Amino acid sequence: EAGVAQSPRYKIIEKRQSVAFWCNPISGHATLYWYQQILGQGPKLLIQFQNNGVVDDSQLPKDRFSAERLKGVDSTLKIQPAKLEDSAVYLCASSLVADEQYFGPGTRLTVT
Amino acid sequence: KQEVTQIPAALSVPEGENLVLNCSFTDSAIYNLQWFRQDPGKGLTSLLLIQSSQREQTSGRLNASLDKSSGRSTLYIAASQPGDSATYLCASHGSGNTGKLIFGQGTTLQVKP
């Protein structure tokens, strides 16, 4: 069974630029999550999708971050414009419903 | 609001030692508690998931316990090996089983040969 796929693995951008991350969950998993992990901290949930719908986006900085999940499968997370404090690892996870989550390798973003 | 804390932030032990990693949480009405391992530059690997009705789970040399009344979980690693060196994270599934995970800061373990 293929795991959660994410791309790119690494990205370096300058502040005020935009960036997008892609996630492909495990086949059949209805729930998809995006987490932000700042160095030295545990991951923090940014947004949770159930199929196409948003379940929780309470910690998503909506003035600069956006996310979508087309057709209930792949998802993209976008940052526009990026700030220095957005430097982090962005992790995507999926689960069948709301149970055990499986994580992808993450995308390491550096904003200079 | 659920808060999860892991102490210590870092731990160094000699190979072969048995060790315990600690995790505490403020809201005892958790649904599940999950332990993860994270290697440098990598994603999270699930180690053990303890459902709220359970008190412990075991997998190989790992044993995780859950005490909801005291707001604590422990991860016991037996006969530690250098390959166990990684960051260990615990995460609480919030009440109502929304799926949202609330993570601790992690404990970085180094096992010296």
Side-chain angles (χ1 to χ4, degrees):
Chain A
E1 177 183 88
V4 177
Q6 290 188 246
S7 68
R9 292 295 313 279
Y10 307 92
K11 190 75 176 178
I12 301 175
I13 62 172
E14 296 181 351
K15 59 184 180 182
R16 291 187 290 274
Q17 287 187 324
S18 62
V19 65
F21 312 128
W22 173 82
C23 173
N24 180 245
I26 293 173
S27 177
H29 280 193
T31 309
L32 185 147
Y33 313 79
W34 283 102
Y35 290 86
Q36 179 193 57
Q37 186 177 23
I38 294 172
L39 186 66
Q41 300 181 17
K44 180 185 76 173
L45 180 71
L46 291 176
I47 188 166
Q48 176 184 348
F49 292 96
Q50 178 86 17
N51 296 310
N52 289 338
V54 175
V55 174
D56 186 342
D57 64 355
S58 58
Q59 298 191 89
L60 185 74
K62 298 180 185 63
D63 58 333
R64 298 184 301 105
F65 286 64
S66 65
E68 61 181 4
R69 189 179 186 196
L70 300 177
K71 300 180 181 178
V73 182
D74 293 5
S75 177
T76 57
L77 176 69
K78 297 179 181 177
I79 308 175
Q80 181 179 14
K83 293 185 175 182
L84 295 176
E85 59 261 36
D86 298 331
S87 294
V89 176
Y90 291 84
L91 296 162
C92 179
S94 70
S95 63
L96 279 173
V97 183
D99 49 5
E100 187 168 5
Q101 295 181 27
Y102 297 86
F103 282 77
T107 296
R108 181 176 298 275
L109 173 67
T110 302
V111 182
T112 63
Chain B
K1 178 185 176 185
Q2 178 73 286
E3 293 183 4
V4 180
T5 304
Q6 292 183 252
I7 296 174
L11 183 63
S12 180
V13 300
E15 181 178 3
E17 191 164 297
N18 301 326
L19 59 101
V20 174
L21 304 180
N22 296 300
C23 172
S24 61
F25 46 91
T26 55
D27 185 356
S28 62
I30 64 170
Y31 191 76
N32 295 327
L33 189 127
Q34 196 165 357
W35 282 92
F36 293 89
R37 169 182 173 143
Q38 187 173 34
D39 292 284
K42 301 290 180 61
L44 276 64
T45 301
S46 178
L47 297 173
L48 291 163
L49 183 148
I50 310 175
Q51 297 181 349
S52 61
S53 59
Q54 299 174 322
R55 292 191 63 84
E56 65 178 323
Q57 280 285 338
T58 298
S59 176
R61 294 182 295 109
L62 305 179
N63 176 274
S65 67
L66 175 63
D67 185 343
K68 292 172 59 179
S69 61
S70 66
R72 296 182 63 183
S73 177
T74 61
L75 178 66
Y76 174 83
I77 303 177
S80 59
Q81 304 170 357
D84 295 331
S85 298
T87 295
Y88 292 81
L89 294 150
C90 69
S92 162
H93 289 237
S95 60
N97 193 22
T98 62
K100 178 179 179 178
L101 285 174
I102 299 170
F103 283 86
Q105 310 92 314
T107 294
T108 299
L109 173 65
Q110 182 183 33
V111 181
K112 297 180 179 178

PDB file of all heavy atoms in Angstrom, chain B residues 87-102:
ATOM      1  N   THR B  87      13.350  11.537  17.604  1.00  0.00           N
ATOM      2  CA  THR B  87      12.454  12.338  18.433  1.00  0.00           C
ATOM      3  C   THR B  87      11.134  11.593  18.576  1.00  0.00           C
ATOM      4  O   THR B  87      10.591  11.105  17.574  1.00  0.00           O
ATOM      5  CB  THR B  87      12.224  13.727  17.818  1.00  0.00           C
ATOM      6  OG1 THR B  87      13.458  14.451  17.809  1.00  0.00           O
ATOM      7  CG2 THR B  87      11.205  14.522  18.633  1.00  0.00           C
ATOM      8  N   TYR B  88      10.648  11.509  19.788  1.00  0.00           N
ATOM      9  CA  TYR B  88       9.400  10.806  20.074  1.00  0.00           C
ATOM     10  C   TYR B  88       8.336  11.834  20.464  1.00  0.00           C
ATOM     11  O   TYR B  88       8.548  12.655  21.351  1.00  0.00           O
ATOM     12  CB  TYR B  88       9.609   9.775  21.187  1.00  0.00           C
ATOM     13  CG  TYR B  88      10.484   8.637  20.736  1.00  0.00           C
ATOM     14  CD1 TYR B  88      11.872   8.761  20.718  1.00  0.00           C
ATOM     15  CD2 TYR B  88       9.924   7.453  20.268  1.00  0.00           C
ATOM     16  CE1 TYR B  88      12.677   7.727  20.257  1.00  0.00           C
ATOM     17  CE2 TYR B  88      10.723   6.410  19.818  1.00  0.00           C
ATOM     18  CZ  TYR B  88      12.094   6.555  19.810  1.00  0.00           C
ATOM     19  OH  TYR B  88      12.887   5.533  19.348  1.00  0.00           O
ATOM     20  N   LEU B  89       7.218  11.762  19.785  1.00  0.00           N
ATOM     21  CA  LEU B  89       6.129  12.711  19.988  1.00  0.00           C
ATOM     22  C   LEU B  89       4.879  11.965  20.461  1.00  0.00           C
ATOM     23  O   LEU B  89       4.558  10.900  19.929  1.00  0.00           O
ATOM     24  CB  LEU B  89       5.799  13.442  18.683  1.00  0.00           C
ATOM     25  CG  LEU B  89       6.876  14.370  18.133  1.00  0.00           C
ATOM     26  CD1 LEU B  89       6.804  14.449  16.627  1.00  0.00           C
ATOM     27  CD2 LEU B  89       6.728  15.767  18.734  1.00  0.00           C
ATOM     28  N   CYS B  90       4.207  12.536  21.446  1.00  0.00           N
ATOM     29  CA  CYS B  90       2.891  12.005  21.799  1.00  0.00           C
ATOM     30  C   CYS B  90       1.842  13.008  21.332  1.00  0.00           C
ATOM     31  O   CYS B  90       2.110  14.212  21.229  1.00  0.00           O
ATOM     32  CB  CYS B  90       2.753  11.726  23.284  1.00  0.00           C
ATOM     33  SG  CYS B  90       2.710  13.179  24.341  1.00  0.00           S
ATOM     34  N   ALA B  91       0.671  12.498  21.028  1.00  0.00           N
ATOM     35  CA  ALA B  91      -0.400  13.353  20.523  1.00  0.00           C
ATOM     36  C   ALA B  91      -1.735  12.859  21.042  1.00  0.00           C
ATOM     37  O   ALA B  91      -2.002  11.654  21.073  1.00  0.00           O
ATOM     38  CB  ALA B  91      -0.401  13.370  18.997  1.00  0.00           C
ATOM     39  N   SER B  92      -2.547  13.817  21.430  1.00  0.00           N
ATOM     40  CA  SER B  92      -3.872  13.514  21.943  1.00  0.00           C
ATOM     41  C   SER B  92      -4.917  13.712  20.852  1.00  0.00           C
ATOM     42  O   SER B  92      -4.910  14.737  20.167  1.00  0.00           O
ATOM     43  CB  SER B  92      -4.176  14.446  23.120  1.00  0.00           C
ATOM     44  OG  SER B  92      -5.564  14.488  23.374  1.00  0.00           O
ATOM     45  N   HIS B  93      -5.765  12.717  20.676  1.00  0.00           N
ATOM     46  CA  HIS B  93      -6.948  12.890  19.835  1.00  0.00           C
ATOM     47  C   HIS B  93      -8.002  13.552  20.719  1.00  0.00           C
ATOM     48  O   HIS B  93      -8.337  13.041  21.777  1.00  0.00           O
ATOM     49  CB  HIS B  93      -7.490  11.545  19.356  1.00  0.00           C
ATOM     50  CG  HIS B  93      -6.644  10.864  18.339  1.00  0.00           C
ATOM     51  ND1 HIS B  93      -7.134  10.494  17.102  1.00  0.00           N
ATOM     52  CD2 HIS B  93      -5.350  10.480  18.353  1.00  0.00           C
ATOM     53  CE1 HIS B  93      -6.168   9.903  16.418  1.00  0.00           C
ATOM     54  NE2 HIS B  93      -5.075   9.873  17.146  1.00  0.00           N
ATOM     55  N   GLY B  94      -8.513  14.690  20.302  1.00  0.00           N
ATOM     56  CA  GLY B  94      -9.440  15.427  21.143  1.00  0.00           C
ATOM     57  C   GLY B  94     -10.736  14.684  21.409  1.00  0.00           C
ATOM     58  O   GLY B  94     -11.072  13.746  20.701  1.00  0.00           O
ATOM     59  N   SER B  95     -11.437  15.115  22.441  1.00  0.00           N
ATOM     60  CA  SER B  95     -12.725  14.508  22.782  1.00  0.00           C
ATOM     61  C   SER B  95     -13.697  14.682  21.628  1.00  0.00           C
ATOM     62  O   SER B  95     -13.638  15.670  20.897  1.00  0.00           O
ATOM     63  CB  SER B  95     -13.289  15.156  24.045  1.00  0.00           C
ATOM     64  OG  SER B  95     -13.470  16.539  23.848  1.00  0.00           O
ATOM     65  N   GLY B  96     -14.569  13.723  21.449  1.00  0.00           N
ATOM     66  CA  GLY B  96     -15.504  13.770  20.339  1.00  0.00           C
ATOM     67  C   GLY B  96     -14.936  13.174  19.077  1.00  0.00           C
ATOM     68  O   GLY B  96     -15.628  13.096  18.061  1.00  0.00           O
ATOM     69  N   ASN B  97     -13.677  12.747  19.146  1.00  0.00           N
ATOM     70  CA  ASN B  97     -13.036  12.088  18.007  1.00  0.00           C
ATOM     71  C   ASN B  97     -13.202  12.874  16.716  1.00  0.00           C
ATOM     72  O   ASN B  97     -13.723  12.365  15.711  1.00  0.00           O
ATOM     73  CB  ASN B  97     -13.574  10.668  17.821  1.00  0.00           C
ATOM     74  CG  ASN B  97     -12.724   9.868  16.864  1.00  0.00           C
ATOM     75  OD1 ASN B  97     -11.563  10.179  16.660  1.00  0.00           O
ATOM     76  ND2 ASN B  97     -13.302   8.865  16.250  1.00  0.00           N
ATOM     77  N   THR B  98     -12.767  14.108  16.747  1.00  0.00           N
ATOM     78  CA  THR B  98     -12.797  14.922  15.530  1.00  0.00           C
ATOM     79  C   THR B  98     -11.666  14.571  14.592  1.00  0.00           C
ATOM     80  O   THR B  98     -11.688  14.973  13.443  1.00  0.00           O
ATOM     81  CB  THR B  98     -12.685  16.410  15.885  1.00  0.00           C
ATOM     82  OG1 THR B  98     -11.428  16.625  16.528  1.00  0.00           O
ATOM     83  CG2 THR B  98     -13.811  16.838  16.812  1.00  0.00           C
ATOM     84  N   GLY B  99     -10.690  13.832  15.091  1.00  0.00           N
ATOM     85  CA  GLY B  99      -9.532  13.486  14.301  1.00  0.00           C
ATOM     86  C   GLY B  99      -8.352  14.400  14.556  1.00  0.00           C
ATOM     87  O   GLY B  99      -7.209  14.029  14.312  1.00  0.00           O
ATOM     88  N   LYS B 100      -8.602  15.603  15.055  1.00  0.00           N
ATOM     89  CA  LYS B 100      -7.534  16.568  15.283  1.00  0.00           C
ATOM     90  C   LYS B 100      -6.563  16.051  16.331  1.00  0.00           C
ATOM     91  O   LYS B 100      -6.958  15.619  17.402  1.00  0.00           O
ATOM     92  CB  LYS B 100      -8.141  17.885  15.756  1.00  0.00           C
ATOM     93  CG  LYS B 100      -7.125  18.966  16.085  1.00  0.00           C
ATOM     94  CD  LYS B 100      -7.840  20.237  16.526  1.00  0.00           C
ATOM     95  CE  LYS B 100      -6.870  21.340  16.878  1.00  0.00           C
ATOM     96  NZ  LYS B 100      -7.580  22.590  17.248  1.00  0.00           N
ATOM     97  N   LEU B 101      -5.271  16.086  16.006  1.00  0.00           N
ATOM     98  CA  LEU B 101      -4.223  15.696  16.930  1.00  0.00           C
ATOM     99  C   LEU B 101      -3.594  16.927  17.549  1.00  0.00           C
ATOM    100  O   LEU B 101      -3.276  17.886  16.852  1.00  0.00           O
ATOM    101  CB  LEU B 101      -3.147  14.885  16.214  1.00  0.00           C
ATOM    102  CG  LEU B 101      -3.478  13.438  15.852  1.00  0.00           C
ATOM    103  CD1 LEU B 101      -2.353  12.835  15.029  1.00  0.00           C
ATOM    104  CD2 LEU B 101      -3.734  12.606  17.100  1.00  0.00           C
ATOM    105  N   ILE B 102      -3.407  16.879  18.869  1.00  0.00           N
ATOM    106  CA  ILE B 102      -2.688  17.935  19.575  1.00  0.00           C
ATOM    107  C   ILE B 102      -1.404  17.314  20.093  1.00  0.00           C
ATOM    108  O   ILE B 102      -1.441  16.374  20.888  1.00  0.00           O
ATOM    109  CB  ILE B 102      -3.539  18.504  20.716  1.00  0.00           C
ATOM    110  CG1 ILE B 102      -4.816  19.104  20.133  1.00  0.00           C
ATOM    111  CG2 ILE B 102      -2.750  19.561  21.485  1.00  0.00           C
ATOM    112  CD1 ILE B 102      -5.835  19.473  21.162  1.00  0.00           C
TER     113      ILE B 102
END
